Amino acid sequence: SEEIVLVSTDARTVSSVIQAPETDGLIGLSGIAYDAGRDQLIIGRFPTSSGGAFPDFTSAGTVQLMNRAGIVSDSFVAGASISSIILR
C-alpha cells in the first residue's frame, strides 16, 4: 500500500493514516520526512517503470510536499531511488 502511518510517540498509538495521492507516472514511497515547523510531510516517490506498474529504481524520482489531509502543495524532481530525506 502507499499509506503513511503517523504515530504519536507520547501516546504510543497510531494518530492517523494518510493515503499517498495517486499521481500519474509515480508509484510507491521511497523516503518520508516531517517538517514540524510547517506541519508538512515530505514524500519521496519512485517513477513508474516503462515496463509496467512497478517502480523504476534507476530514473529520477519526485519529492512531494503534502499536508496531513494528503493534499500535495508542491513537487520537484530529485535523484534516483530517494531512500531518505534530511531536513536542515
Side-chain angles (χ1 to χ4, degrees), residues 25-69:
L26 299 178
I27 192 167
L29 302 172
S30 60
I32 301 173
Y34 175 68
D35 184 339
R38 295 182 181 181
D39 193 27
Q40 184 175 60
L41 294 158
I42 300 98
I43 312 298
R45 307 286 305 272
F46 293 109
T48 305
S49 172
S50 61
F54 53 89
D56 179 346
F57 297 105
T58 60
S59 296
T62 297
V63 172
Q64 294 179 319
L65 307 177
M66 186 171 72
N67 67 18
R68 288 177 183 247

Side-chain angles (χ1 to χ4, degrees), residues 4-18 34 41 68:
I4 301 162
V5 178
L6 302 177
V7 176
S8 168
T9 54
D10 292 336
R12 296 183 184 184
T13 60
V14 173
S15 58
S16 64
V17 177
I18 301 169
Y34 175 68
L41 294 158
R68 288 177 183 247

